[in-house]
Amino acid sequence: MDLAALTLLVEIIDSGNLSQAARKLKMTRANVSYHLAQLEKTAGAQLVRRTTRRVEPTEVGMRLYQHGLSIRNEMRAAHETIASLSLGLLGRVGISVPSGYGQMVMGDWLIEFKRLYPGIVLDVLFENRADNLRDEVDIAIRVMPEPPASLVARSLGEVRYLACASQDYAHRQGLPRTLQALRDAPLITSGVMGRQLRLAAYLGAERHEVMLEPTLISEHFPFLRQGILAGLGVGLVPDYVVRDRIIAGEVATTLDEYRLSIFGTRMYLLYMPNRHQTRAVRTCIEFLLEKASADAR
């Protein structure tokens, strides 16, 4: 049983079907099927069960998969060690960041990381998708109530939502002082499903909930910031969106006694538990955790 055969089995099980594995390996589906049959013949046992859409490993197949995965990861680590000894830290890091936090906070961090490690290729996706990590994404940054059990989650700290408005708006219209008063204010926020927004507000151990109908909606937080500063209404946004303008005295906040939540109250760094992490990916993870810790202080 050779290494190539075990690598093929790992790709088949990781991909979930023969066609996807064939594309990743740059082989025909028939060729992948043939080599799988040869491996099963050598092993003397069925390794996967085929359905019309997916393949599932048998008990024997899963045991061989674990061995193949360990060997593949060790080979990658060996190649990486050889490359890093002669050329410095190299590799590729695919990272998916939320559009607002990524641009307004993490952008500077990633620029600094790139300056520190010019040999690393950074592939940065600005998106708000909450699904599991894809092949091209090594690290995902997400705001959520609870991270998926299938992923490794490292906390980047608390996300605090604010109800806020420009000082001009506050002087002209006044600020809502109760959760119910928010219903009558022109709201600026994101993440609305349909016409209404479900806002959770915590006062000590008490949880309150109110349904709101925003008037300006976008997933692009810099645009929401513009709307707030232009005096178009009351913003419901994470504090990092307007933190500097609050310090400058241009933005006022209200309902500060509540802990507000739309998507969740914590930011997480997520990655797959069984995917090989190169030194480049590990270095990026530790760098981002350190930056987030310093930012929270």
Side-chain angles (χ1 to χ4, degrees):
M1 188 177 299
D2 60 20
L3 178 60
L6 282 177
T7 299
L8 180 137
L9 179 65
V10 169
E11 292 296 349
I12 290 172
I13 293 175
D14 279 348
S15 300
N17 63 69
L18 298 186
S19 297
Q20 180 66 19
R23 283 192 291 270
K24 290 175 66 175
L25 294 168
K26 295 181 173 56
M27 299 168 62
T28 66
R29 187 184 185 284
N31 203 1
V32 169
S33 182
Y34 169 79
H35 284 288
L36 175 61
Q38 292 298 110
L39 179 59
E40 289 182 324
K41 183 178 179 180
T42 301
Q46 183 181 5
L47 302 179
V48 298
R49 300 185 187 89
R50 298 174 179 83
T51 66
T52 54
R53 292 190 174 184
R54 293 189 58 80
V55 294
E56 299 288 344
T58 63
E59 183 179 353
V60 175
M62 179 53 71
R63 291 187 179 183
L64 279 180
Y65 167 81
Q66 296 294 343
H67 286 297
L69 190 64
S70 297
I71 293 171
R72 187 183 69 175
N73 288 345
E74 288 297 327
M75 289 296 294
R76 287 180 176 177
H79 285 300
E80 181 189 342
T81 298
I82 293 170
S84 63
L85 286 174
S86 59
L87 299 173
L89 191 56
L90 302 175
R92 175 192 173 279
V93 179
I95 179 168
S96 170
V97 298
S99 59
Y101 188 74
Q103 183 173 346
M104 304 178 78
V105 178
M106 292 191 67
D108 289 340
W109 300 354
L110 294 173
I111 294 296
E112 181 181 345
F113 179 82
K114 181 61 180 169
R115 286 198 178 111
L116 288 172
Y117 305 102
I120 293 178
V121 175
L122 271 185
D123 186 353
V124 185
L125 298 172
F126 289 84
E127 58 180 358
N128 296 312
R129 294 175 57 171
D131 58 355
N132 287 346
L133 278 71
R134 305 180 298 284
D135 287 341
E136 70 272 19
V137 175
D138 300 295
I139 305 166
I141 311 297
R142 292 292 181 267
V143 179
M144 53 182 56
E146 291 291 336
S150 59
L151 301 177
V152 177
R154 307 284 296 275
S155 176
L156 293 179
E158 187 177 12
V159 176
R160 182 175 173 233
Y161 274 80
L162 300 176
C164 60
S166 69
Q167 290 288 1
D168 175 66
Y169 178 91
H171 291 149
R172 286 186 291 107
Q173 304 291 337
L175 294 174
R177 299 300 179 184
T178 66
L179 292 175
Q180 289 304 315
L182 279 176
R183 297 173 59 89
D184 300 321
L187 296 178
I188 301 171
T189 190
S190 67
V192 177
M193 298 297 291
R195 293 184 57 190
Q196 291 192 315
L197 168 73
R198 187 186 303 273
L199 175 69
Y202 300 86
L203 187 61
E206 297 179 8
R207 184 182 188 277
H208 303 268
E209 190 172 283
V210 59
M211 300 300 294
L212 306 170
E213 294 189 9
T215 185
L216 183 61
I217 305 164
S218 176
E219 290 189 350
H220 190 61
F221 283 85
F223 175 67
L224 297 180
R225 171 187 164 100
Q226 284 183 277
I228 294 167
L229 296 179
L232 299 182
V234 177
L236 290 173
V237 293
D239 61 354
Y240 61 78
V241 175
V242 291
R243 184 186 300 158
D244 60 333
R245 296 301 89 195
I246 293 173
I247 295 172
E250 298 176 20
V251 170
T253 63
T254 186
L255 302 173
D256 295 331
E257 65 273 24
Y258 289 96
R259 184 164 55 93
L260 306 177
S261 174
I262 297 176
F263 301 113
T265 57
R266 297 203 73 81
M267 182 85 68
Y268 292 98
L269 184 152
L270 308 170
Y271 54 89
M272 294 286 288
N274 60 349
R275 184 181 296 174
H276 171 67
Q277 289 182 352
T278 64
R279 281 187 62 208
V281 172
R282 295 195 302 272
T283 301
C284 188
I285 289 173
E286 294 308 316
F287 177 86
L288 294 177
L289 290 171
E290 183 177 336
K291 279 294 182 182
S293 176
D295 187 59
R297 289 197 289 265

